[in-house]
Structures are given as structure tokens and as C-alpha cells.
Amino acid sequence: MPIFASPSAADGLTTTLRRLVELTGATAGALEFRPRCQEPIVVTASARRVPAALRDWLTTVTGTPAARPGLTRVAPPGANGPASLLRTPLGTANRPAGELLLLGRVGSLTAAALPADLPHELGAALDHLSEREQRAGRTAALAEISRLLTTRHTIDELFAAFAGGIAKLVAFDSLTLSLLDAERREFELIDVNARGFTSRGPRERWVPLEGTLLGRVVATGAPVRIDDFERDDVPEASRRIFAAAGFRAAAFVPLVSSGHFLGAVVLAARRPRAFDDGDIENIGELARPLAVGIERGRLTDESRRRADELAALHATSQLITARLDVASVLDRISLSVPALIGASGCGIGLFNSERTQVVQAAAHGFQSEEWRTLSVPVGEGIIGRVAAEGVAIRVADVRTDPRSARREVDEREGIRSMLCVPLKVVGAVIGVVSAFSTRPGSFTAHHQRVLEAFAEQAGIAIHGARLFDESVRGARETRALLEAGRAVTASLDVGRTIRMIMEEAREVLGVDSCSVMTFDPPTNELVMVASLDVPQEMVSTVRLQLGEGVTGRAVQERRPMQSPDLWSDSRGRYPHLARSAGFRAMLAVPLCVGERTIGAVSVLRRDVHEFSAHEEELLVALADQAAIALEHARLYTELEAMVADRTRELDTQKRFVEVVLETLPLGVFVLDTDLNVVRVNPAGGRALACDVGVRGPLIRLLPSDQATAVQTLLRESFRTRRVASIEEEMIVAGDPKIFRLTAAPVEAASDRGTHAVLLVEDVTLAKRLERQMLLTERLTTAGRLAAGVAHELNNPLATIAGCSESLLSRLGASDSATLSEPGEFRHYLRLIEEEAYRCKEITGSLLHFVRDPGSQRTDTDLNGVVLKAAELLSHQSRFARSRVVTELDPELPPVAANEGQLRQVCLGLASNALEAMEGKGTLIVRSRRTRGEVEIELEDEGPGIPQENLSRIFDPFFTTKPPGQGTGLGLAIAQGIVNDHGGRIEVSSVIGKGSIFRVVLPL
């Protein structure tokens, strides 16, 4: 048949049409061939040359295919009249191959002009031609893909060759390559643009595998064809995706290479039943070399990536040993990460000093300044979570991840996926490496493993660089502080010292300038006194009020103040100086001496900079040295002025002290630690009858029986560093005297612990007067007691008298019988003896009270003292209606005291209480021990003491009793006795309820 013998399909169709025109006697005709997946081919022919208008008309008619054969009357262009048009479809109804049109004269051209089997045979021939064209197209596409596989090519070139070949074999509306990510269980969708069609707009790039037709392809490993999404059994997720794009049919052909499932080729069409088995076969033929190419590309990319990874890891290892500054290490790391895992950019965040923020320390690939200066709280956002938990986080799409905290920054950067890995050193997190990509789902578990391995070495590199920086900085700071301290102590030239401190501050802080300001006393302003950059003639012109400018506020608030940018800071006092010198950042620290602020030191930089807490601390340390230097200079100046005045004052004071010592009526002995006399004043020489120039041991000046007590007093004073005193009776120059000896250690700083002063006071006369007063008061009390004792003696004396009379009467009667009864005589004599001893006991108690107790102190039972006083009062008839109750502590320890004196105190206080109750009521006497002291408490039920009299009751000669009934000395003497024992008397009283007197003595 001419169709197959001609060099091209068009030539073969034209030859066949001409023969048919001649065979049927038609004037003209058209033959349409509809190859699959290509534009229809239309040829025209006639007995003569076909006019252009007629050719166009015939071509237009073929554009509307005829459903069945038919003969119609038409009026073609250029014809003289109507003509007959015979239209015959070629092929089958399900698969039309083309159409034959014949035009002839009316009546000459009939439906029987064509042989009956011609349409079928011609249709079959066109089908064979279509299949031949498809085989040729498939062969050409396979050849092109194979050619690419044997040469260097890109994956895009491979996709384009596949799309171009499939477009010639299969009719479709959309071509998508779905590549499987087995780890993520997702498909990556790649829209492939082929010649003659384009993709229909953006779609989600990554599609989950579960619940989709792609999942069915993976499960079965076989192609899947959907004839109609509206009718076939299709997963709901796939139905929704294809229906949204308006597709009715689809074909899914797996991409398999060496048994590995790589993905699927997906063709979609808007018409139902668009694909048949031949289409599936054609797609599968081209999919096999495509899968090989994709697998090779993946292997090539994997090999290249692994080589890059090894190179990057090797470069990181070199960083550890080659570079030691932190900035360079961080920069190299941030540059290496994108090349290592194919990221769009990388950021390195490190903990701040408080470990509360992750601060961006290095960044690469970012567009905005916000990312370069990013600071994220620990625990917030993706980066903050990694820092807090120490576990890597991989995010496929930050737009849908709820952990993303700074979405607006991510949007501006175009960030879609992130991979954040902790930086660790010996298990401790020090920061976070953050890689990002502008494509969603860019990072895999492999990328994560690579970045984690990289981060381990990066952490070591950063840590090593930090340690090196810290050691260098620490050494520099230590040297600066040592130099500053050496300058302060080595020189009194304050100007030179301050300048050296300013230069050290500039070097160690890396600043550009430094200045010092101090207070001007007349104006109370801060005045610049030194600067590294301000001309000397201008230094004193820079003045600030307290609280003015950054420096003034630092002085006012007594704490460091800073301005990261003076040019935009309204607090600046001299902006023209800052701008002219190019200074931007400033840190001011007050100069403090104790609680005083004497000035400030300021450092400046020519860049915008926020000074760290460590920089503030370092400048504070240098400021302290500067403050010490300034204070030393001030003190030295003042000291020079004070030395002469102080010398004159000391001379005057020395002469005054010597005069005081010479005229002091007390004896003063200055002793060293060996109790040798160093100096004696005239009164001391007179007291102990010795020369004022005497030196040597003190015991030589004392009687032998008192020397031991005085030595004990002095040594105890040296040991306890406390003042102590005793009273001793001595025979001096044949005269008995009583001295009060007081030992006081010298507390002067230059003489601490090496000397003591012994004061010798002659209290002989005072003690004699005191004893006379005590005796007078004792006799007065004894007189009052004697009246009661006289009544108490009447009873035993009456008994003695009665017994005596009875015995005398019996003896006068000379009755031998009476005299012969010795038992009765014994009875009377025993009564007389008992009553006589009773009288002796009563008078003995009274005499014991009246007897002078002396001044000796021994361990005394206070409970016994109380009981003896109560016994004396029990003999007083005036107190017969009163009751004395004792509540004594049986565990009360003995007290070193004079028993007779304490008995007088108790007796006096008890008598006053009983008299206040007018012989009736109850007096309670208690004893107890409290916190290293003992107490004797007397509580009465008397009328109480008025408030205005409480402060006067211990005054000598003050009494509220009627004239002749009291001397007013009782309480005064009692207080003197208790005070002499180192104790005190406490009084509390309530009018109408009574009074409480409490005697407190030390143990």
C-alpha cells in the first residue's frame, strides 16, 4: 500500500488520496490521519491543482469528525453550483483512525462510489501507520535517554528527554515524577514540563505515602490505572488531590532499578478512560531507563556528598589544631555546614553567660540582620528546645510546625525546613548549630547523622578556641591589674599612676580611649582630670553635673552605666566631641572609696558595642585601683598638712597627761606583762610608801600576805582583757589601810597586751564611815527586833520562875516525903534547862545579827540566809498576824558572798514588807537560778509603792515612815551591799496589790 511505501506518512497519505479521487471520479478530496498523541495530519488532492480556498475549506470540515458515513449536498468555495460531499470515518468507533472526504458533481458522486471494504482496510492501514509511528517515537525516546545515560548529563536533562518522549506516545494533561523517601514515608512530587505542555500550577511538593494510590503502587510493585476518579475505587486522599486539579483519569507506573523501588511516573488526564494498556506499556518502557538514570544520579550525588562530608569533617579537624580564635572557628564552621549537607544557610548560637539565651554568634546564607543577631530564650522555639534538651530536631516545614517561635523572621528569610543539632563538649551543651533550607523536607536522617558528627568536632574546636581566648584574656587582665596595683604602691605621682591605669584599661578592654573625672569641691561638678585622647588644654573644660550624661548618672547611682551608641543616646552631654572623635560606645564606672564617690573612669569605642558583665567587672577592678591612687594622693596631701599640727597636739597632750598623772589623787602604777613597775605617779608613791622612780617587781612594794591576791588580779586582767578590782587591807608604814585596787589592760594598738595600769585608791576613811553606817543601821534594826524579842523571852522566863517557886516552896516545907521524890525535881530542872536554852537561842540570834560580819566572803547558802532571817522575824510580836512563806530552790548553788551582809539585806527587805502589810497578810520569799545568776524574790501584799517614789526609794535618808520610825538608810545600804557583790536589786510594784523586791547575784 502506498502509505507504507512512501518516505513519510504525509507523502503516503497524499498518494493514496489521489488514487481514490481518480477511482471514484471525484473532483477533489481530503484524507485525515489521527495518530495517537500527535496533531492530526490532513492532506488534500484533486484532478487538477486544488485552490487554496478549497483546501482550507476541506481542512476545516475535517476538524469536525463525522459520526457515520454520509453524502450531503454542499456549496464549496469557488464552485459554480452545489456539489456532493461524501464523508467516510476510518477505523472503529472506539478507536477512530481518521476520515475520508470526497467532493464531486451532484449525481456523479454517490455512496456506492467507494468499495464496501475500503473504509475498513484504509482504517486498518492507518492503525498500522500509527503503531509504526509510536514504535519509532518510543525507539527515538529510548535512544535519547540511553544516550544521556552514557554521557555526562543533569537530572533535569534526563527528565526533559523522558517527558519529550512520553508526550509523543501518550496523551495526557499532567506528568509528575513521584520520588519515594522511604525514611520519611513520603513522596516528593516533581512536575515535569514537556515540549507542548506545562504544569498546571503549584502543588504540595511532599505527599504522605499512607492512604494514597502511590502507596498502592509501592505495595503491589505494579502499575495502577484509574479510568475515572468519580467511579473507581480510589483512596479519599488521592481522589481529593486529583479532583481539585480537575483530573478524571490517571496512570501510575513504578520506577524500579535493580530491584529498588524509587518512585512512580504519574500521568493524569481530564477525560475519563484516557489511558489503555498500550499507554501503560509505553510508559513502562521509558520508565525503566529513567529509573536507571535516577538511581545513577542518586548514587553520584551520594558519592559527591560523602566526599564533601569527609572533606568538611577533615577541614573541621584542621580547625581544631590550626585556628585558635573563636571568631575564625565559628566563621569556618558556619561556612562548612551548607556545603556539607546542602543547606541554604547555617547559624551557630552559643549560650550567653547566664545560660538563659542562645545568641547567634556566626551566620552564613541569611538575608536579614535579624537572623544574624538572633537571640532565643532557652526552651523556646526549635533552637531553644534543642539547647534545653540537648537533642537534635529535624523540621520538614517550619510553617506547619507548632514549635517554631519566630515565624515572621522565618518568612522573611524564606525558611521552610530546619535541622538543629546541639553543640556539646564532654556531654555538656554549649550551643546549637542550625541549618536551614528554603525547600520543605530538605533534611534526612542521614543529614542529621552527618551534622551531629560534624557538631562533635565543631564543639571541640569552639571549646578549644574559647579556652585559648580565656587564657590569653585572663593573662592580659591579670597583668593589667598587677601593673595597676604596682603603680599604685610604687609611686606617689598620681598623674603618672592614673595614666598608666588608663593605658592598661585601653589595652585589656580593647577600647579606643579612656578618661578620668573627679569632683571639683568648689563647684561640686565632675571635672575631667586625665584623658588619652582629649588635648591637655581642653581636659579641664569638660565638666558634668551630678546625674548629667552617662558618666554623671554612673556617679549618682554608684554603679556602672553604658551607652552602646552615643550618637543615638539622648543622655550624651558632649555629642560633638563623640562625633568628631568617632566614638560610639561608652562605659562609665564610678570611683568609690568606702561609701564616698570621688569620680568616674570612662572607656570609649568607635563601634556600636554593648559591654559585657565581664568587661564591666574588669573596669570596676581598674577603677578601684584608680580610686586608691587618687585617695592616696589626697590623703598624702592632707597628711603632710596634718603631721605638723598633730605633732604639736601630741606634744601638748603629752605634757597635759603628765600633769594629770602628777596631780591625780589616785595611785597609778604602769606594769609590763611580767608585773614589773614601769612608771609610778606621786600619788602611787605616797599610797604604797615608795619612791616614784622605783622599778622592778610590784610584789616588792606589797605586804607578803596580800601580794598573791594582787598578782592574781593583774594576771586575770591580762588574760581576759577586762577591768577588775579588789579591796585589800594592808599595813603600810605601820598604819592599817584599806585600798581599792583596779587593774586595767592597756588597749592602745601599738601596746596591745604588753602593759596594764594598776590604780591604787585609799578607801580607808570611806570604809570606816561605811562600816559605821552599817553598824548604825544594824543597831537600829536590832533595837526594833529587841522589842519583839523581849516579849518572846517572857514566856520561857515565866516558866523558869514558876518552876523555881515550886521548888523553893517544897524545900521550905522541909517535908521529907516531898524531898524524897527526885523524879519531880528532875522534871522541874529539865523545864528550867529547856527554857533557859530557848532564851539563849533567841538572844544568840539577835547577837549574831548585831555582830560585825567583817568583809570576808565565802561560799554561802542563800537558802540558809533566808531561813535565818525568817526565824528572827518570827519572834516579833508585831508581825504575829503575818505569815512568811518560803519557796526555795533546793538545787540552788552556793554564792561567794558575805553571809552577815546578805542576812542584813534579807532581814531589812523582809521587815519593810511586813511593816508595809501592817502585821497581816502573806510574805512569799522565793529563790531560783536563772541564766548564770541566782535570785531572792520577796513578794508582799502591801499597799504598793507610788510610781513617783519608785525612783527615790534607794536614795539615802529617803523614807515614807513617820518621824522617829525610820532612818531612810535601810534600802540605800542594802543596795550598796548587793552592788558591792556585783549584783542588783530590782523592784516592781502595783498600787493596791503589793510590791516585789528581787535581789540578783552573779554565780
Side-chain angles (χ1 to χ4, degrees), residues 560-595:
M561 299 288 291
Q562 65 169 291
S563 174
D565 189 358
L566 287 170
W567 294 7
S568 60
D569 195 332
S570 59
R571 296 175 298 176
R573 176 65 179 83
Y574 293 95
H576 60 285
L577 289 178
R579 288 184 176 274
S580 62
F583 294 132
R584 298 293 298 271
M586 179 180 186
L587 172 63
V589 172
L591 297 173
C592 298
V593 178
E595 297 299 321

Side-chain angles (χ1 to χ4, degrees), residues 950-973:
L950 274 178
S951 60
R952 302 178 60 196
I953 60 176
F954 293 106
D955 293 346
F957 306 109
F958 175 79
T959 180
T960 58
K961 297 177 181 179
Q965 295 187 16
T967 63
L969 294 175
L971 286 178
I973 292 174

Side-chain angles (χ1 to χ4, degrees), residues 535-694:
Q536 189 62 36
E537 61 274 9
M538 293 181 59
V539 166
S540 60
T541 63
V542 180
R543 292 175 171 265
L544 292 172
Q545 295 290 336
L546 188 64
E548 186 178 29
V550 178
T551 304
R553 291 189 62 180
V555 174
Q556 185 180 49
E557 299 182 18
R558 291 175 57 84
R559 64 183 181 90
M561 299 288 291
Q562 65 169 291
S563 174
D565 189 358
L566 287 170
W567 294 7
S568 60
D569 195 332
S570 59
R571 296 175 298 176
R573 176 65 179 83
Y574 293 95
H576 60 285
L577 289 178
R579 288 184 176 274
S580 62
F583 294 132
R584 298 293 298 271
M586 179 180 186
L587 172 63
V589 172
L591 297 173
C592 298
V593 178
E595 297 299 321
R596 294 187 301 111
T597 304
I598 63 174
V601 58
S602 305
V603 294
L604 299 106
R605 295 174 60 112
R606 287 191 168 89
D607 59 342
V608 177
H609 176 75
E610 184 170 354
F611 292 91
S612 66
H614 179 75
E615 290 173 319
E616 288 186 358
E617 292 174 359
L618 185 57
L619 187 57
V620 167
L622 290 171
D624 290 342
Q625 298 292 339
I628 293 172
L630 291 171
E631 185 67 6
H632 280 182
R634 183 186 68 81
L635 293 176
Y636 181 75
T637 302
E638 294 180 357
L639 187 61
E640 283 184 325
M642 292 171 57
V643 166
D645 294 338
R646 186 58 178 165
T647 302
R648 289 190 294 271
E649 290 177 6
L650 290 175
D651 290 340
T652 303
Q653 290 177 3
K654 180 180 178 182
R655 290 192 295 271
F656 177 76
V657 169
E658 290 176 348
V659 170
V660 169
L661 287 175
E662 293 295 323
T663 58
L664 191 68
L666 295 177
V668 179
F669 289 78
V670 180
L671 309 172
D672 61 18
T673 54
D674 294 327
L675 304 186
N676 293 317
V677 177
V678 176
R679 182 170 180 177
V680 182
N681 72 339
R686 290 192 297 271
L688 297 184
C690 64
D691 187 80
V692 294
V694 67

Side-chain angles (χ1 to χ4, degrees), residues 341-401:
I341 60 174
S344 303
C346 171
I348 300 177
L350 301 178
F351 281 127
N352 62 355
S353 57
E354 295 80 17
R355 294 183 68 86
T356 58
Q357 299 274 335
V358 180
V359 182
Q360 201 83 294
H364 175 69
F366 295 99
Q367 305 298 323
S368 65
E369 191 64 26
E370 287 177 284
W371 249 103
R372 299 180 186 278
T373 59
L374 186 66
S375 180
V376 179
V378 174
E380 294 186 13
I382 299 171
I383 296 175
R385 284 172 180 260
V386 173
E389 300 170 5
V391 179
I393 293 179
R394 190 170 76 250
V395 179
D397 194 342
V398 297
R399 296 181 181 178
T400 59
D401 195 298

Side-chain angles (χ1 to χ4, degrees), residues 579-849:
R579 288 184 176 274
S580 62
F583 294 132
R584 298 293 298 271
M586 179 180 186
L587 172 63
V589 172
L591 297 173
C592 298
V593 178
E595 297 299 321
R596 294 187 301 111
T597 304
I598 63 174
V601 58
S602 305
V603 294
L604 299 106
R605 295 174 60 112
R606 287 191 168 89
D607 59 342
V608 177
H609 176 75
E610 184 170 354
F611 292 91
S612 66
H614 179 75
E615 290 173 319
E616 288 186 358
E617 292 174 359
L618 185 57
L619 187 57
V620 167
L622 290 171
D624 290 342
Q625 298 292 339
I628 293 172
L630 291 171
E631 185 67 6
H632 280 182
R634 183 186 68 81
L635 293 176
Y636 181 75
T637 302
E638 294 180 357
L639 187 61
E640 283 184 325
M642 292 171 57
V643 166
D645 294 338
R646 186 58 178 165
T647 302
R648 289 190 294 271
E649 290 177 6
L650 290 175
D651 290 340
T652 303
Q653 290 177 3
K654 180 180 178 182
R655 290 192 295 271
F656 177 76
V657 169
E658 290 176 348
V659 170
V660 169
L661 287 175
E662 293 295 323
T663 58
L664 191 68
L666 295 177
V668 179
F669 289 78
V670 180
L671 309 172
D672 61 18
T673 54
D674 294 327
L675 304 186
N676 293 317
V677 177
V678 176
R679 182 170 180 177
V680 182
N681 72 339
R686 290 192 297 271
L688 297 184
C690 64
D691 187 80
V692 294
V694 67
R695 299 292 183 268
L698 177 66
I699 58 174
R700 295 179 182 175
L701 308 179
L702 302 173
S704 58
D705 52 346
Q706 278 83 29
T708 302
V710 176
Q711 281 183 316
T712 302
L713 170 72
L714 289 168
R715 296 196 184 283
E716 185 67 15
S717 180
F718 269 117
R719 187 183 66 83
T720 62
R721 311 302 299 167
R722 293 181 180 178
V723 177
S725 64
I726 59 172
E727 291 183 1
E728 290 290 335
E729 293 187 12
M730 300 181 186
I731 304 298
V732 178
D735 296 329
K737 290 188 178 182
I738 301 175
F739 292 112
R740 180 178 291 120
L741 305 173
T742 303
V746 176
E747 294 293 342
S750 60
D751 215 14
R752 182 173 179 82
T754 60
H755 291 82
V757 174
L758 178 66
L759 301 179
V760 181
E761 181 182 3
D762 188 351
V763 294
T764 304
L765 181 59
K767 284 297 179 179
R768 289 174 182 172
L769 293 176
E770 181 181 337
R771 289 178 181 178
Q772 289 178 2
M773 290 179 62
L774 287 173
L775 180 59
T776 301
E777 177 63 20
R778 192 180 299 110
L779 291 175
T780 301
T781 303
R784 290 198 300 269
L785 293 175
V789 169
H791 175 75
E792 187 71 13
L793 290 175
N794 283 335
N795 293 331
L797 289 176
T799 301
I800 292 172
C803 291
S804 299
E805 290 176 359
S806 177
L807 291 174
L808 288 174
S809 64
R810 289 175 184 258
L811 290 173
S814 300
D815 185 347
S816 61
T818 303
L819 294 174
S820 64
E821 297 177 358
E824 188 173 353
F825 273 86
R826 290 192 188 94
H827 173 70
Y828 281 119
L829 290 174
R830 189 180 298 111
L831 287 176
I832 292 171
E833 182 184 26
E834 289 176 355
E835 294 302 321
Y837 275 112
R838 182 181 175 192
C839 292
K840 180 182 179 182
E841 182 180 352
I842 293 172
T843 56
S845 298
L846 182 60
L847 289 173
H848 188 70
F849 171 74

